[in-house]
Amino acid sequence: MVDTAVKTEQVTRQVSDAAKPTDALSARLAALSLPDGGFTAAARKDALARLTQMGLPGPRDEYWRYTDPKPFNAAQPQPMAVDAGATDSPLFSDLDTLKLVFVDGVFDAAASDDLTLEGAQIELLSAAEATSRHWAKDLYGTLETSGQKPVKRPFAALNTIAARDGVLIRVTGNPSRPVHIIHRRADENADAIWHHVVKLEAGTELTLLETGMSGARSNGVIEADIADGAKLHYIASKRAAHQTVGLSHIFARVHAEAQLKSFTLSVNGSVMRHEGVIEIVGDDAVAHIAAAVLGDGHIGPFHHDDTVFITHAAERCESRQVFKKVLKNGAQGVFQGKILVKPGAQKTDGYQISQALLLDENSQFLAKPELEIYADDVICSHGSTTGAIDEEALFYLRSRGIPHDRAIIFLVLSFLADALAEVDSEELRMQINDRLEAWLTDRTGK
Amino acid sequence: MLKINNLHVKLEDEDKQILKGLSLEVPAGQVHAIMGPNGSGKSTLSYVLSGKDGYDVTEGTASLDGEDLLEMEPEERAAAGLFLAFQYPVEIPGVGNMTFLRTAVNAQRKARGEDELSAGEFLKAVRAKAADLKIDAEMLKRPVNVGFSGGEKKRNEILQMAMLEPRMCIMDETDSGLDVDAMRLVADGVNALRSPDRSFLVITHYQRLLDHIQPDVVHIMADGRIVKTGGPELALEVEKNGYGDLLSEVR
Ligand SMILES: Nc1ncnc2c1ncn2[C@@H]1O[C@H](COP(=O)(O)OP(=O)(O)O)[C@@H](O)[C@H]1O
Ligand SMILES: [Mg+2]
């Protein structure tokens, strides 16, 4: 911690000497209401200095070559009707969970359960901030800062500066129910920014669900610290309206023998970007990050970007990236995935696969897999494929009397199965599969 | 039941004629066998009848109970009662065998205006039929044909046939790759389905299968045509002498 403090000071000094925010960034910041923060004040200030120095991204930035940052750079989001998009009940709503409802990124106590859960301490960022000492103080903005190297993530810094709310979860046991964060929309102009901090103490386990959409534009950050032998299952489902602009970051630090299992289901949207930044810092740890994406460009442009950076900094660790995108009507999918194996991270087992199923010839998938390895005794592999519906399989299904459109749904589910398999809980997996099937059925009719 | 008249088929993408005037009629309740050397067009015939893309019918007709098969989509042909047991059943990862089968059964029932089977009714039927074919519950739960042995895939085809209760069953080399026990299971499965209003077209290379499934008529196919038609004794002749004598005889 001492180290970070020293570095922070240096950065702040440099900034005041050299950088002034550009006009675009000034306008972007001016449009936000910036909380003072209590225990987060220093982190917010530091993030402002960092963002001022790095600036907003442009198309020349290496990791923004495939995705136009314009909708995220704009001072204000494009207004979006509140009733646009999905009307179905959020996924997992019939499960026994601790429900935490956020409306445009701000906690809604009346719609939520009590914040009591055995084996966990749950608070709200907005409420806890007033205190000066808090367990989350060591984490808020810290993993985000660490995740800025070697690749800049300006919108994560922006989030640390401006997040109004979020949930702080410290897991001390093995809660019997998942925590379910449900996002809703109320204001057609909302620029929703939330920031969750999750800390799993050694040997604990948590299932964290996050569903729904918020804001006309959204920016969500999760910082998760997973101590020795602890296990975090994170499952997100985002069914967006076709106009939705949103981005998210998950920064996770995985300690010895700990596990992170992350799965995101993402449907529709206009411009969506999800970044996963995972540092494996303890031996024998496991990190899996997976996503299933359905994109349809039939109403407006669809562009979906998954950008992942996994750092192996310990021995005998396993990482797995499984990304599957189903694209149609001119939809665009992007995958940028990197595995960095640091010196000494021997016996690393790193795996990455990104695949797109293009349902027509207008859709496009761009993949940029990267491996950077500084240890000699490791196994790392990556692969990327782009393909169309398998005609043999389609004929096989139809020859059994299954109508064409239904057969396509089967083949889409078949294509996504490897990503869904990353969800450990069979119950959750089945619910995701059923919902996916319902969504696909719904879409075919349009 | 099945009537094929002067069928000419070429590949859609290539100037290659595969079926060159094939005629065949399978009356209700009968079992017909088609034998013939590799490459004579047997699988192509089964694909064209069931509606696979990639072929052009340039001449001729094919009908099922008077309905023009060639005008229908594959799923419509299935609902009309046509079934093809594939020579190479397709693996579909991520789709459970049971889900697949139940969807197929109910899609056909719906297309025919019949009530769909409830989960319970379906389960009961599939368990009984699977047991007859020695297909265990674990295999039913797995994704369609994934990790199935050659024999298991073929038995799974027969299970589908038993559940879908088609009127016209085409079996494309269902016996190839089966050991003696599996062959008996398949043959028993087929024989159990034999009835006065169900017909079979059994494509095979071997007499073996026809020992178990007694055909009424045997056709010899070569170079895209039926070149000889006879009784079960024709299969024995092929078994003994190969196709050489038969083919030189018709030339
Ligand atoms: N899709 C295809 N592309 C190219 N050649 C094909 C195709 N389908 C069939 N053929 C050719 O047509 C002929 C008949 O094939 P097939 O119907 O599989 O014969 P059989 O089942 O009697 O062995 C063979 O020469 C085969 O190579
Ligand atoms: Mg063949």
Side-chain angles (χ1 to χ4, degrees):
Chain A
M1 271 350 301
V2 175
D3 258 15
T4 322
V6 171
K7 264 190 220 136
T8 307
E9 242 168 68
Q10 281 172 350
V11 171
T12 319
R13 225 177 299 126
Q14 274 174 0
V15 170
S16 48
D17 292 347
K20 273 255 180 301
T22 60
D23 289 349
L25 180 56
S26 302
R28 182 78 165 88
L29 291 168
L32 300 167
S33 63
L34 304 182
D36 300 335
F39 74 82
T40 63
R44 289 176 190 272
K45 203 172 141 201
D46 176 56
L48 178 60
R50 287 185 287 111
L51 179 61
T52 305
Q53 199 179 42
M54 72 179 103
L56 292 171
R60 281 212 302 276
D61 282 286
E62 193 188 345
Y63 287 90
W64 287 93
R65 230 172 255 164
Y66 301 134
T67 298
D68 184 355
K70 212 181 285 163
F72 305 116
N73 284 342
Q76 304 282 357
Q78 290 285 327
M80 185 172 77
V82 170
D83 59 4
T87 50
D88 45 8
S89 63
L91 189 55
F92 310 131
S93 49
D94 52 350
L95 277 185
D96 182 21
T97 60
L98 183 91
K99 294 180 182 58
L100 304 175
V101 176
F102 284 76
V103 178
D104 291 325
V106 176
F107 186 66
D108 180 346
S112 303
D113 290 339
D114 274 354
L115 302 183
T116 43
L117 183 65
E118 201 178 312
Q121 200 180 313
I122 301 175
E123 290 161 275
L124 296 165
L125 177 62
S126 54
E129 252 184 324
T131 55
S132 58
R133 289 293 330 157
H134 195 278
W135 62 263
K137 188 176 178 185
D138 290 345
L139 289 174
Y140 186 91
T142 305
L143 300 188
E144 178 261 298
T145 304
S146 167
Q148 298 282 356
K149 278 173 295 184
V151 179
K152 295 187 291 180
R153 307 181 196 279
F155 298 112
L158 181 89
N159 182 300
T160 298
I161 297 167
R164 283 178 62 195
D165 213 344
V167 58
L168 311 175
I169 308 176
R170 182 165 161 254
V171 187
T172 52
N174 189 350
S176 59
R177 303 189 277 166
V179 173
H180 184 183
I181 298 167
I182 299 168
H183 290 285
R184 289 185 191 149
R185 302 189 52 219
D187 176 353
E188 64 172 26
N189 296 304
D191 202 10
I193 305 179
W194 67 89
H195 194 123
H196 308 310
V197 179
V198 182
K199 182 180 172 68
L200 280 88
E201 301 292 356
T204 63
E205 183 164 354
L206 177 74
T207 297
L208 179 62
L209 311 173
E210 188 164 22
T211 63
M213 292 299 300
S214 67
R217 175 171 69 185
S218 65
N219 178 340
V221 161
I222 298 181
E223 292 180 287
D225 188 68
I226 310 168
D228 292 1
K231 214 168 166 182
L232 175 62
H233 306 266
Y234 173 69
I235 295 154
S237 154
K238 316 179 187 209
R239 188 192 190 191
H242 288 282
Q243 308 92 305
T244 305
V245 169
L247 53 80
S248 71
H249 292 80
I250 177 165
F251 296 95
R253 183 175 285 169
V254 189
H255 298 267
E257 293 176 29
Q259 292 195 15
L260 168 68
K261 294 279 185 78
S262 163
F263 170 84
T264 302
L265 172 63
S266 193
V267 182
N268 295 339
S270 167
V271 185
M272 309 291 282
R273 166 133 160 169
H274 302 303
E275 298 195 29
V277 186
I278 294 157
E279 279 184 86
I280 307 177
V281 297
D283 295 339
D284 302 295
V286 172
H288 290 194
I289 179 160
V293 176
L294 300 181
D296 188 341
H298 81 294
I299 287 182
F302 173 92
H303 183 97
H304 191 286
D305 176 338
D306 276 297
T307 294
V308 178
F309 199 114
I310 297 189
T311 304
H312 281 264
E315 292 188 28
R316 296 179 305 277
C317 295
E318 180 201 308
S319 73
R320 224 177 126 77
Q321 304 171 44
V322 183
F323 286 80
K324 302 260 188 171
K325 304 198 182 200
V326 182
L327 305 170
K328 72 174 185 184
N329 292 319
Q332 276 193 349
V334 173
F335 174 75
Q336 311 185 93
K338 179 156 181 171
I339 306 174
L340 168 64
V341 181
K342 289 203 163 170
Q346 301 297 5
K347 310 273 184 208
T348 287
D349 180 355
Y351 173 80
Q352 176 195 96
I353 183 87
S354 67
Q355 296 182 302
L357 174 63
L358 306 185
L359 296 183
D360 56 48
E361 284 167 7
N362 303 323
S363 300
Q364 192 186 22
F365 180 57
L366 300 162
K368 182 178 160 195
E370 289 178 282
L371 294 179
E372 197 177 327
I373 301 174
Y374 298 102
D376 50 14
D377 186 11
V378 303
I379 307 168
C380 278
S381 63
H382 65 78
S384 183
T385 65
T386 302
I389 285 285
D390 176 353
E391 291 295 333
E392 288 286 324
L394 180 61
F395 173 61
Y396 188 67
L397 293 169
R398 294 179 74 191
S399 77
R400 270 41 182 158
I402 298 175
H404 176 274
D405 288 356
R406 187 79 189 88
I408 296 281
I409 291 171
F410 268 135
L411 296 177
V412 168
L413 292 172
S414 163
F415 170 76
L416 295 175
D418 288 347
L420 258 69
E422 293 296 328
V423 176
D424 281 350
S425 149
E426 186 174 350
E427 188 183 17
L428 296 178
R429 200 168 55 238
M430 301 275 278
Q431 291 216 357
I432 295 168
N433 192 76
D434 290 352
R435 184 54 70 94
L436 207 44
E437 205 172 317
W439 284 344
L440 286 163
T441 310
D442 178 23
R443 284 151 43 92
T444 317
K446 277 181 193 162
Chain B
M1 168 95 42
L2 179 67
K3 266 191 200 158
I4 306 166
N5 188 32
N6 193 30
L7 195 63
H8 287 69
V9 171
K10 68 177 272 295
L11 292 176
E12 204 171 60
D13 299 339
E14 267 176 68
D15 212 14
K16 182 173 167 140
Q17 199 73 33
I18 303 178
L19 300 185
K20 305 172 179 173
L22 183 140
S23 298
L24 181 69
E25 191 167 332
V26 187
Q30 291 199 356
V31 175
H32 286 211
I34 295 186
M35 305 180 82
N38 279 330
S40 53
K42 303 182 299 294
S43 291
T44 302
L45 172 65
S46 67
Y47 285 148
V48 169
L49 291 175
S50 41
K52 190 175 184 187
D53 281 343
Y55 304 97
D56 273 345
V57 176
T58 53
E59 214 185 317
T61 57
S63 64
L64 185 65
D65 284 335
E67 274 191 275
D68 184 0
L69 277 177
L70 305 177
E71 283 299 308
M72 294 186 227
E73 296 295 334
E75 55 268 36
E76 293 168 341
R77 302 180 197 206
L82 188 79
F83 180 89
L84 169 62
F86 280 51
Q87 182 172 2
Y88 305 106
V90 182
E91 296 185 8
I92 308 183
V95 175
N97 212 16
M98 288 287 252
T99 311
F100 157 65
L101 199 46
R102 190 169 156 218
T103 307
V105 167
N106 281 336
Q108 290 201 16
R109 295 180 72 96
K110 194 173 162 198
R112 290 194 292 258
E114 299 164 12
D115 283 345
E116 297 187 11
L117 289 187
S118 72
E121 288 166 327
F122 171 79
L123 211 61
K124 208 172 145 204
V126 81
R127 284 207 182 120
K129 287 178 174 158
D132 291 344
L133 287 158
K134 296 213 160 46
I135 291 174
D136 60 31
E138 203 267 329
M139 217 173 110
L140 289 174
K141 271 195 234 152
R142 273 190 275 165
V144 180
N145 292 325
V146 178
F148 288 26
S149 70
E152 286 173 338
K153 284 182 182 167
K154 296 299 178 79
R155 274 185 280 150
N156 198 30
E157 294 290 287
I158 302 304
L159 174 66
Q160 293 169 34
M161 188 162 95
M163 286 301 296
L164 293 167
E165 301 180 326
R167 288 180 306 136
M168 182 68 233
C169 309
I170 304 172
M171 299 167 58
D172 190 1
E173 295 200 27
T174 302
D175 52 338
S176 60
L178 292 188
D179 60 30
V180 180
D181 291 341
M183 169 113 67
R184 165 143 288 144
L185 284 172
V186 164
D188 289 349
V190 171
N191 287 328
L193 287 172
R194 287 184 75 158
S195 91
D197 45 28
R198 180 172 290 131
S199 311
F200 293 83
L201 191 58
V202 181
I203 297 169
T204 181
H205 274 299
Y206 306 104
Q207 164 61 26
R208 276 197 318 174
L209 182 67
L210 303 179
D211 282 342
H212 298 294
I213 306 172
Q214 281 289 319
D216 298 293
V217 177
V218 175
H219 306 276
I220 306 297
M221 183 165 174
D223 195 24
R225 276 184 215 100
I226 301 297
V227 294
K228 188 162 183 168
T229 295
E233 72 287 348
L234 204 49
L236 291 167
E237 206 180 316
V238 171
E239 185 80 358
K240 216 165 88 205
N241 305 326
Y243 295 109
D245 292 354
L246 273 171
L247 297 188
S248 56
E249 184 186 311
V250 295
R251 270 199 195 104

